Amino acid sequence: MSMDFELRQRGRAAIDFIGGMGMSFGRIGAKVNARLAETGLDQDANLADDLDQRQAQLEGALGPLRAFRVGNLLRDFYADEHGRACTLAWEELADELRPALEAADEGPTTLTLDPSMEQPDYWRKVDFHRTRGGWEGHPDMGMIHGELIHKRLVNRSYGGDIFGQRRRVLDELPRKDYARILELGTSTGHFTTQLQAAFPDAELHGCDISATLLKHARRVGNMGGHRWRLFQARAEATDQPDEHFDLVASYILLHELPADVTRAVFKEAFRVLKPGGDLLMSDVTPYRALDRLAQWRADYEGTHGGEPYWREAASLDLAEVAREAGFIDARSYGLEGGKYPWATYARKPR
Ligand SMILES: C[S@@+](CC[C@H](N)C(=O)[O-])C[C@H]1O[C@@H](n2cnc3c(N)ncnc32)[C@H](O)[C@@H]1O
C-alpha cells in the first residue's frame, strides 16, 4: 500500500516491545543449543525417527532447563499478544486513517464476494498464528495483519526481507509472457503486488476465502492503480472456467491446508490452467530437507504457534502431488541453495 502513516505512542511501544521480545529468542536459543550439544541430542543418530517420540525425547531432556521454559513462555506470549498489540496500534489510528482507506474501496480493482460460499472448518475453526478469531477475528484484520503485523512487526523482527522473498520466487518462472494469472490465497495482496511488478501486462486474478482480507487487498490494488480481479472462493473450488489461465501461483497458502485439501488445490490448478500453463507454489521447507533436530524445531513451533497443518504440509512431497494431479516437469526445491522459500514448479502438458 502506498499509504504512509505514523504509529501513535501506545501502539508503537506495544509493537516495539513484542518485536524486541522476538529478537531475544536468539540468545535464549544459544543456551538451549548448548544443552543439546552436551546431551548429544544435536546429532541425528541420537534422535528418535518418529516425530512424536522425538518430541517427548527432547522435551524430557530440555524441560528442566530454565532457558527452554523461558523461551516457551516468551514464544507463547509473543503468539498470543502480537495480534493484540497490532490491533491496539490500529485502533489508535482508525479514525484518522479510515477516510483515506474507504476512498480506496473505489478504483480499478474489482472484488466479487460470494456470501453463499461454504467456509471450511479447517479454516473457520482455526486461530491461525494464535491471532484471536483467526483470519476474520477483527473487521479490519486486513489492515492489522497486512500493514501492521507484516510490515511493522514481522518484517523488522524476522531479519529477512519477506517481500523480497515473494519477488525472488517469481524469478523461477520460465516465461515472462503470461497473459492471465490466477493467485490462490491472495490475502491482503503482498504476493499480488509482486506478481503485478513481475508481470505488469498480465490480467491478474486473485482468490481467498476471507472477505475481510480481500477487501483490504482491493484497497491495496486501488491505491496502486491496478486492475486486479479479486474474488472470494476456495482455492480447491475456484469456479473458474477450464483451461483459462497461463499461470497459477501461490505464496505460503499450502501450509495452512490439510494435505487432502492441498491435493485438491493442485487438481483444481490443473483444471483451470491452459495446456502448457505453469504452476508455481511457494511455501515452507519440507521436513525431508531438514535434519531431525530442525524438523523438531519447525514442528514444535508449528504445534505451539497456531499452525495446525504444518506437520502434514511439510511432510508432503509437492512435486509428487503435482505429478499425481497430471503435471509434468515437476520440481520442488529451496531457493539459492537455501531452505526458504521453497518453490514447487510444474507445467500442464500441451
Ligand atoms: C499466510 S496467508 C497467505 C498470504 C499471501 N499469499 C501473502 O503472500 O502474503 C494465507 C491465506 O490463505 C487463505 N486461505 C486459506 N485456505 C484457503 C483456501 N482453501 N482457499 C483460498 N484461500 C485460502 C487465508 O484466508 C489467508 O488469507
Side-chain angles (χ1 to χ4, degrees), residues 50-300:
D50 177 80
L51 264 167
D52 289 327
Q53 283 174 12
R54 204 181 312 160
Q55 176 129 326
Q57 184 185 18
L58 284 156
E59 275 191 327
L62 295 173
L65 183 70
R66 185 181 304 182
F68 181 67
R69 296 200 307 277
V70 169
N72 282 349
L73 256 174
L74 291 183
R75 196 257 338 284
D76 286 348
F77 187 85
Y78 182 97
D80 288 335
E81 295 300 317
H82 78 288
R84 271 237 294 253
C86 291
T87 302
L88 182 148
W90 161 243
E91 285 173 348
E92 280 183 320
L93 286 164
D95 287 346
E96 179 192 322
L97 297 187
R98 199 172 294 286
L101 284 172
E102 287 179 355
D105 287 339
E106 304 297 328
T109 289
T110 58
L111 170 59
T112 308
L113 294 177
D114 178 5
S116 69
M117 191 203 63
E118 194 192 324
Q119 294 184 338
D121 284 354
Y122 69 76
W123 180 88
R124 185 172 56 86
K125 292 193 171 167
V126 175
D127 286 359
F128 284 102
H129 316 145
R130 288 169 65 162
T131 305
R132 208 154 305 164
W135 285 119
E136 305 235 301
H138 190 287
D140 294 312
M141 189 57 91
M143 185 71 197
I144 294 166
H145 197 270
E147 304 304 321
L148 292 162
I149 294 181
H150 266 165
K151 292 189 180 161
R152 306 289 173 126
L153 178 62
V154 178
N155 202 38
R156 283 166 55 205
S157 56
Y158 161 84
D161 175 3
I162 65 170
F163 303 106
Q165 287 169 338
R166 283 164 171 77
R167 179 61 216 262
R168 167 70 191 86
V169 81
L170 292 171
D171 295 341
E172 297 304 299
L173 284 163
R175 289 166 53 191
K176 278 276 165 210
D177 63 343
Y178 302 110
R180 191 179 291 135
I181 298 175
L182 173 62
E183 183 197 3
L184 305 172
T186 291
S187 198
T188 57
H190 293 327
F191 192 44
T192 333
T193 301
Q194 301 304 330
L195 283 161
Q196 174 73 46
F199 307 107
D201 299 327
E203 188 181 292
L204 208 42
H205 299 241
C207 74
D208 201 287
I209 293 177
S210 168
T212 303
L213 299 179
L214 283 170
K215 284 180 188 166
H216 188 75
R218 175 172 58 187
R219 291 173 175 170
V220 174
N222 282 334
M223 285 184 178
H226 308 311
R227 199 170 284 281
W228 297 344
R229 292 148 166 93
L230 306 176
F231 62 101
Q232 187 181 20
R234 291 181 294 139
E236 63 273 35
T238 61
D239 207 23
Q240 296 297 294
D242 290 353
E243 302 189 353
H244 196 55
F245 296 97
D246 302 279
L247 168 69
V248 173
S250 76
Y251 195 90
I252 58 169
L253 161 69
L254 302 180
H255 71 283
E256 293 197 352
L257 306 178
D260 60 329
V261 180
T262 290
R263 291 196 180 88
V265 168
F266 275 68
K267 287 188 182 132
E268 178 69 350
F270 189 86
R271 182 184 71 75
V272 300
L273 272 171
K274 292 180 192 167
D278 284 328
L279 177 79
L280 182 72
M281 305 292 219
S282 185
D283 221 277
V284 301
T285 315
Y287 285 175
R288 68 174 186 285
L290 301 175
D291 63 28
R292 286 186 179 175
L293 187 61
Q295 288 171 1
W296 169 74
R297 284 191 205 277
D299 209 67
Y300 201 70

